[in-house]
Amino acid sequence: KPFILLVLLLALGAGVASFMPPAAPLDYSFPEAKNELFKELESAKEPIPDGVYRIVSEKSTVRWQGRKPLLTGYMDQGTLGIKEASAGIQNGKVASGKIVFDMTQIEVASTGSGRGDSVLAGHLKSADFFDVEKFPIAEFVIAHVAPDTQSGDPLRHLIHGTLTLKGITNPL
């Protein structure tokens, strides 16, 4: 579960990189992803019109990290493909959204041991883990977004929704 939650958080924080509305193209590119979507919305000179915006998956990246809690400093890292995604803007803020992950595009950039990248990638794609042959996509649907008033960071938000992974849907 921590790995899945981390993938989800990174998808929302890092993967939301570019927008294109259904009609006239707008392109919001965020080179450094953490909180950039919310930062861009907050600092926009003109409010972004309400509507559902398609996230340009070719310009978006989901970065993931996995840790082994019993091994201090151990971290695996990689990327995950986005098949399609959208964000609903209401009153200039993200109100809803959906991300469809392409699980067949899970990549390992590095491992905590410094070796075995291809072994880990194979394991993550196998039936032992994500079973990408049988379940090539996963989906996160954003139900509610609210500022995290307790963090003291105006760009930090709490995102609630449902995650469907391996055909099973759970609230997050």
Side-chain angles (χ1 to χ4, degrees), residues 134-146:
K134 188 174 179 184
F135 302 99
I137 63 168
E139 180 179 281
F140 180 69
V141 177
I142 299 170
H144 178 71
V145 179

Side-chain angles (χ1 to χ4, degrees), residues 68-144:
K68 293 185 178 181
L70 298 177
L71 298 175
T72 304
Y74 189 101
M75 182 179 4
D76 298 326
Q77 299 181 66
T79 59
L80 180 61
I82 298 175
K83 189 172 183 83
E84 62 184 69
S86 62
I89 305 297
Q90 194 171 45
N91 299 320
K93 302 192 181 301
V94 176
S96 62
K98 177 179 172 180
I99 303 170
V100 179
F101 302 101
D102 184 347
M103 301 305 290
T104 66
Q105 290 185 14
I106 193 163
E107 304 276 334
V108 176
S110 65
T111 65
S113 67
R115 61 190 193 302
D117 299 5
S118 62
V119 173
L120 178 57
H123 174 62
L124 294 175
K125 291 178 181 180
S126 76
D128 290 342
F129 216 89
F130 291 120
D131 197 0
V132 301
E133 195 171 303
K134 188 174 179 184
F135 302 99
I137 63 168
E139 180 179 281
F140 180 69
V141 177
I142 299 170
H144 178 71

Side-chain angles (χ1 to χ4, degrees), residues 151-172:
S151 73
D153 180 351
L155 299 177
R156 188 176 173 108
H157 288 69
L158 301 173
I159 300 170
H160 301 271
T162 57
L163 176 66
T164 302
L165 191 60
K166 293 176 73 172
I168 301 167
T169 302
N170 284 299
L172 289 181

Side-chain angles (χ1 to χ4, degrees), residues 45-80:
K45 293 185 185 354
E46 294 181 24
I48 296 173
D50 288 358
V52 176
Y53 293 79
R54 183 177 64 86
I55 296 171
V56 181
S57 58
E58 301 82 32
K59 293 184 178 182
S60 303
T61 302
V62 175
R63 294 183 200 106
W64 60 264
Q65 294 179 347
R67 298 177 188 266
K68 293 185 178 181
L70 298 177
L71 298 175
T72 304
Y74 189 101
M75 182 179 4
D76 298 326
Q77 299 181 66
T79 59
L80 180 61

